[in-house]
Amino acid sequence: MNTLTREFSMTINGKAVTTEQTVPVLNPANETVIAQVPKASQQDLNNAVKAARAAFTAWSAVSIEERASKLEAFSDAIIQQREELANLFTAEMGRPINGGFSSYMEIDSACHWCKVIARYRLPREIIEDNESHTIERYYTPLGVAGLIVPWNFPVLLAMWKIAPALLAGNTIVVKPSPYTPLTTLRIGEIARDIFPAGVFNVVTGENELGQWMTEHPDINKISFTGSTATGKKVLQSAAVNLKRVTLELGGNDAAIVLEDADPKEVVPKLFWAAFSNTAQICVATKRLYVHEKIYDEFLDEFKQYTKNIPIGDGMNPDTLIGPVQNKMQYEKVKALIEDAKSTGTNIVCGGTVEDKTGYFIPITIVDNPPEDARVVTEEAFGPVLPVIKYSNYDEVITKANNTDYGLAGSVWGKDLNLARSIAERLETGTVWINEAHILLPNVPFGGHKQSGIGVENSIEGLKEYTNTKTIMIKKK
Ligand code: NAD
């Protein structure tokens, strides 16, 4: 897709807002600027927060059924624009338009999430009800929620925040990543016709805008998805007015392949566990531990499988893996590959990045690097994967846990009792057995250790947009 002819505007108080200064948005497949988006000033942010604050009183007072019906209408309206949004998404994000992990999937999943979350209701609990006392506990919205989103799943991860924040009665200011703002801005336009003015605001700009949000005295909650490094800054700035925070941060997920696993069966699944979305998934398999008894056969299978995967421009209907989303990430992944090469580690696939237009990196598999290699210890967030040999289960559990991250992990093999006992010992928020990155709206998702604070999804995720409130009535 070449330069887009339409103008993109922020949504503030139900109206389109543009700015004189703009931020360019690139198509990562060809590095051309496809659009310019508004660059919000602090005043623009103040206007959005003021509008959200003003709308809060009425929005929090309408029934949850009414808020849910608006969310359902929102989901239906997005689906009606599905084709345009999926194409826009591929243009800014690079994700293939077709295939299992496609741009259509992003839009469809976001709408599905919105509908499922809209069906949740916050409980009112009677803790005690006797002759002398009634004690009731319920949940109240927090106020204005600032929702900060990364570039790897810009629409779905925004919806993970938008739906529960609004259902609980908060008003919102959404900030997409500067790399992928277009689809979110379009969704903001759709929201203008559905939600009362001020309830749903979208602002765009550079990273400083995120920081202004976290420091803003009239934002009550920040729900942030992004890197652990930025998450730490968010937590610090949020202290200014004791904002509530949910932090969904980085990961360095280990997959452990047991000695009884059948390489032919598990290799295709593990390939996609690692490389879907060009490996730019927080819960992608980023370290792959394989038992020594099957290591050689497994690595051969993996190499063979990798050969047949079409990599290219996401607009090409045959492409299954697109470019890395942005230059910064592209340079980071290239540096990890160069580092692995410089230490003499065997690279069994890929490893050479062609000097051509677009942020394309071949699937690169690093054969048994040492545990302290950068490619093992750092979150690559791109198509380079260390495959590491191990000989006993205690050893591999120790290695898998030897990281500050604790997002997710997986175990693969036929002995489900063994797999389960390993899963219980992994220090992560989620462990899958014989599958990977299955995320569902009714299942809480969150990181342990430095992978985050709090959870998203499920009733637990909804409660993160509320205060708990108790009313005690003394009867006698
Ligand atoms: P990032 O931390 O660079 O940026 C995330 C968002 O924060 C962007 O919108 C950015 O503009 C904004 N931001 C930047 N500086 C800020 C600041 N000082 N204060 C407030 N906001 C600021 O992350 P990214 O590169 O966009 O995303 C990749 C990272 O996100 C990876 O580490 C990945 O693992 C993680 N991630 C985690 C999850 C999860 O659910 N745990 C999901 C997806 C991605």
Side-chain angles (χ1 to χ4, degrees):
M1 188 180 278
N2 294 323
T3 311
L4 302 163
T5 46
R6 72 187 319 283
E7 189 175 61
F8 289 88
S9 56
M10 302 189 287
T11 297
I12 298 180
N13 204 17
K15 295 194 183 65
V17 173
T18 53
T19 58
E20 221 159 82
Q21 279 195 310
T22 55
V23 182
V25 180
L26 264 69
N27 179 335
N30 55 30
E31 298 177 56
T32 54
V33 174
I34 50 171
Q36 296 283 341
V37 298
K39 184 176 177 192
S41 63
Q42 271 182 301
Q43 188 55 51
D44 293 317
L45 175 63
N46 287 344
N47 293 345
V49 175
K50 201 169 155 203
R53 173 66 51 201
F56 175 69
T57 311
W59 180 249
S60 57
V62 302
S63 69
I64 195 163
E65 277 69 30
E66 197 173 329
R67 294 197 295 264
S69 76
K70 295 277 187 206
L71 282 170
E72 289 190 12
F74 180 49
S75 173
D76 291 340
I78 296 173
I79 277 293
Q80 279 174 19
Q81 311 294 328
R82 175 176 187 266
E83 193 166 340
E84 182 216 325
L85 293 172
N87 278 280
L88 187 58
F89 187 88
T90 293
E92 66 173 335
M93 205 271 146
R95 172 105 51 92
I97 192 86
N98 280 330
F101 240 88
S102 68
S103 298
Y104 280 108
M105 184 223 77
E106 175 98 3
I107 306 298
D108 295 348
S109 306
C111 292
H112 171 67
W113 238 267
C114 186
K115 288 226 161 167
V116 174
I117 299 294
R119 291 202 287 269
Y120 285 126
R121 294 294 174 269
L122 287 159
R124 254 176 193 263
E125 293 162 49
I126 306 291
I127 294 172
E128 218 173 87
D129 190 20
N130 53 35
E131 282 182 3
S132 69
H133 252 130
T134 298
I135 305 177
E136 197 182 319
R137 193 267 285 268
Y138 64 111
Y139 297 90
T140 57
L142 298 168
V144 178
L147 313 180
I148 302 179
V149 185
W151 46 262
N152 64 327
F153 280 80
V155 176
L156 181 60
L157 295 180
M159 193 61 91
W160 283 19
K161 303 176 188 308
I162 292 167
L166 291 179
L167 184 72
N170 304 278
T171 53
I172 60 174
V173 179
V174 187
K175 192 203 85 64
S177 164
Y179 293 119
T180 52
L182 302 179
T183 319
T184 311
L185 287 170
R186 270 292 290 126
I187 284 173
E189 286 176 30
I190 293 170
R192 282 175 212 162
D193 295 332
I194 292 169
F195 297 98
V199 167
F200 193 123
N201 304 277
V202 182
V203 291
T204 50
E206 289 176 337
N207 288 340
E208 62 193 2
L209 177 60
Q211 189 179 338
W212 297 339
M213 286 172 71
T214 59
E215 291 168 348
H216 202 291
D218 216 19
I219 291 183
N220 308 93
K221 157 97 192 180
I222 291 286
S223 179
F224 170 87
T225 302
S227 62
T228 295
T230 312
K232 288 180 183 176
K233 291 186 196 162
V234 170
L235 193 56
Q236 268 180 340
S237 326
V240 68
N241 61 337
L242 285 185
K243 285 182 184 65
R244 278 41 176 173
V245 290
T246 301
L247 301 177
E248 295 290 354
L249 308 178
N252 196 4
D253 292 10
I256 298 174
V257 183
L258 307 181
E259 62 191 300
D260 68 359
D262 175 359
K264 278 205 167 40
E265 197 187 316
V266 298
V267 157
K269 294 176 190 162
L270 272 159
F271 177 88
W272 291 109
F275 296 113
S276 293
N277 203 32
T278 319
Q280 302 162 129
I281 306 185
C282 53
V283 290
T285 293
K286 293 171 186 152
R287 296 174 292 154
L288 178 47
Y289 290 97
V290 181
H291 195 279
E292 61 184 4
K293 280 195 183 151
I294 58 164
Y295 185 86
D296 292 341
E297 188 190 347
F298 182 95
L299 202 60
D300 270 354
E301 279 291 332
F302 213 90
K303 210 162 89 179
Q304 287 308 321
Y305 190 85
T306 302
K307 277 187 188 153
N308 301 318
I309 305 297
I311 301 178
D313 186 335
M315 283 299 180
N316 179 336
D318 296 328
T319 295
L320 291 181
I321 292 192
V324 169
Q325 200 283 323
N326 59 69
K327 177 119 175 133
M328 175 210 60
Q329 200 60 35
Y330 173 75
E331 295 298 344
K332 184 178 168 198
V333 177
K334 276 205 311 188
L336 285 179
I337 294 173
E338 285 313 313
D339 184 76
K341 286 193 326 204
S342 74
T343 57
T345 315
N346 188 21
I347 309 280
V348 285
C349 288
T352 306
V353 181
E354 277 178 55
D355 188 15
K356 62 174 191 182
T357 309
Y359 305 135
F360 293 101
I361 294 187
I363 300 296
T364 299
I365 298 170
V366 184
D367 175 9
N368 207 23
E371 267 305 292
D372 61 354
R374 280 183 60 198
V375 74
V376 180
T377 59
E378 293 183 27
E379 180 190 34
F381 221 59
V384 53
L385 177 72
V387 182
I388 306 156
K389 199 185 291 190
Y390 73 89
S391 52
N392 78 67
Y393 295 122
D394 283 338
E395 167 209 341
V396 76
I397 292 166
T398 305
K399 286 179 173 170
N401 287 336
N402 184 23
T403 168
D404 288 335
Y405 292 114
L407 197 54
S410 58
V411 187
W412 303 75
K414 297 196 179 82
D415 183 343
L416 292 185
N417 287 332
L418 174 61
R420 209 205 137 85
S421 71
I422 293 173
E424 283 179 13
R425 293 171 63 193
L426 293 181
E427 297 164 351
T428 61
T430 304
V431 184
W432 293 282
I433 296 176
N434 292 327
E435 60 182 10
H437 41 68
I438 304 294
L439 300 166
L440 299 166
N442 58 340
V443 178
F445 173 70
H448 292 189
K449 302 201 276 189
Q450 294 189 29
S451 285
I453 294 178
V455 295
E456 293 197 290
N457 304 329
S458 78
I459 193 79
E460 298 308 316
L462 178 59
K463 286 179 185 171
E464 299 236 347
Y465 291 92
T466 65
N467 276 316
T468 177
K469 180 160 179 175
T470 309
I471 293 185
M472 286 197 199
I473 304 168
K474 177 89 178 114
K475 294 178 182 166
K476 278 202 225 167

